[in-house]
Amino acid sequence: MSTHTEHPAPQGPEPLDLNDPRLSRFDIVREGARRDDIEIVHYEPQVVPGTKAERRLTRTVASFFWITGVAATAFLVVYIWWPWQYEPGRGGDKFYTPLLGLTLGVALLGIGFGILTWGKKLLAKEVSIQDRHDQPSSPDDRRIAGETMLYMADELGVKRRPLLGLSVLAGLAPVGAVAAAPLVGGLISDPHKNNQMFTTGFAPADGKKIRLIREDGRPIRPEDVSAGGQLTVFPGIDGGVSNKHADSPTLLIHLREDDAQKSRAANQRKGRGDYMWGNYAAFSKICTHAGCPASLYEQQTNRLLCPCHQSQFLITDNAKPIFGPANRPLPQLPIEVDEEGFFVAKSDYTETIGPDFWERP
């Protein structure tokens, strides 16, 4: 006959009284770790508080955040005040986008190097091992969690290193403004002042209507475009064929009779009964999705295709988008023939050209 004696499992040290005033914050953190079956196997401060090494590292981290603040502030200055409108030649607008990229890049690098240096050089090295378990949180556990978070804040050293706190505030506050700047940019400066977004090379000059011309500068008569055909035209003004008026290329289309009747009926529904001349219609060649040239015309279906992102526009229905990402019709140019038999624009476009602000959600 044999007997079996059960030995009690070894017990750990008794829990500490968390209200003992002799306990330091780290003692409470260590006790919390022990209660969560966490063993702190290595804890080593990298710098001694108050030493030259700590002050040197503090200045280094602060410098990175100061650089972030200066670069982010420079981004805001460039974004708001640097000339961004296109000018022929080599004006200041050529540096607008590069300067935005440079200042934002430096700001982000400053944040990254500041955080890395802080974490790698100033914070203590710690290695802990924890056994995972699920238990409800007791009042002591909540006290431990709170003291642990406060201890972590102390370990960041902001209280005893006020330069770090000031540098973080000075560095990250402008970065927050940088994130908000594109959202409120339209409120800072009206992008449509002087009506430049609604004016193309076809705007009448001194009361004189602008002719439609070929790329070589020759004006166009109705007989120059065969039925079912199309021709890219430009405003007959100085620089009308150049990038100075890059928003003005227009597609002049000679519709067949049945298609022209459908197009006129669609115009009537939109209040544009006088935009066509005979069986001829003119639409902007600038895609309303991303500004690419929509120039592939399929005369059998009267569809105009933009090759960049495959948007398609139905010419006989006010150039309405019927496929692809574009969500706004191509603007139509009102046209007629002058006393010499050449096509002219009756007025400028009555809608803005290209994507512009219409593409904002």
Side-chain angles (χ1 to χ4, degrees), residues 130-151:
Q130 179 183 20
D131 293 331
R132 303 296 295 178
H133 59 85
D134 295 324
Q135 293 180 359
S137 297
S138 66
D140 282 353
D141 289 335
R142 292 193 292 270
R143 169 76 186 278
I144 289 169
E147 294 294 336
T148 300
M149 289 187 286
L150 292 174
Y151 180 77

Side-chain angles (χ1 to χ4, degrees), residues 157-195:
V158 175
K159 287 186 178 179
R160 67 174 184 270
R161 304 163 186 152
L163 179 61
L164 286 179
L166 291 174
S167 64
V168 169
L169 180 62
L172 298 187
V175 172
V178 165
L183 301 177
V184 299
L187 304 177
I188 296 173
S189 178
D190 183 6
H192 310 110
K193 61 185 176 182
N194 302 325
N195 209 30

Side-chain angles (χ1 to χ4, degrees), residues 66-243:
W66 285 114
I67 290 172
T68 294
V70 171
T73 302
F75 176 95
L76 294 172
V77 171
V78 172
Y79 183 83
I80 297 172
W81 286 289
W82 193 273
W84 56 269
Q85 292 92 342
Y86 170 77
E87 296 178 1
R90 302 186 63 83
D93 62 293
K94 305 299 184 300
F95 300 101
Y96 181 70
T97 300
L99 283 175
L100 289 180
L102 176 63
T103 52
L104 182 58
V106 172
L108 295 179
L109 285 175
I111 293 175
F113 282 117
I115 292 175
L116 285 174
T117 305
W118 196 339
K120 294 289 186 180
K121 299 297 184 181
L122 280 176
L123 297 183
K125 295 180 179 179
E126 178 182 330
V127 178
S128 301
I129 300 174
Q130 179 183 20
D131 293 331
R132 303 296 295 178
H133 59 85
D134 295 324
Q135 293 180 359
S137 297
S138 66
D140 282 353
D141 289 335
R142 292 193 292 270
R143 169 76 186 278
I144 289 169
E147 294 294 336
T148 300
M149 289 187 286
L150 292 174
Y151 180 77
M152 292 171 61
D154 286 346
E155 282 295 285
L156 290 176
V158 175
K159 287 186 178 179
R160 67 174 184 270
R161 304 163 186 152
L163 179 61
L164 286 179
L166 291 174
S167 64
V168 169
L169 180 62
L172 298 187
V175 172
V178 165
L183 301 177
V184 299
L187 304 177
I188 296 173
S189 178
D190 183 6
H192 310 110
K193 61 185 176 182
N194 302 325
N195 209 30
Q196 73 269 23
M197 298 302 295
F198 292 94
T199 303
T200 72
F202 288 106
D206 299 325
K208 186 177 180 180
K209 297 176 181 178
I210 305 302
R211 282 182 173 176
L212 280 56
I213 63 171
R214 295 179 175 85
E215 190 172 4
D216 59 8
R218 290 181 297 154
I220 302 168
R221 297 179 182 273
E223 55 267 26
D224 295 335
V225 186
S226 59
Q230 51 84 22
L231 184 67
T232 299
V233 298
F234 306 87
I237 58 176
D238 184 32
V241 185
S242 68
N243 285 336

Side-chain angles (χ1 to χ4, degrees), residues 256-267:
R256 295 185 175 88
E257 182 61 36
D258 291 343
D259 298 328
Q261 290 180 10
K262 295 178 183 178
S263 185
R264 278 191 293 271
N267 277 3

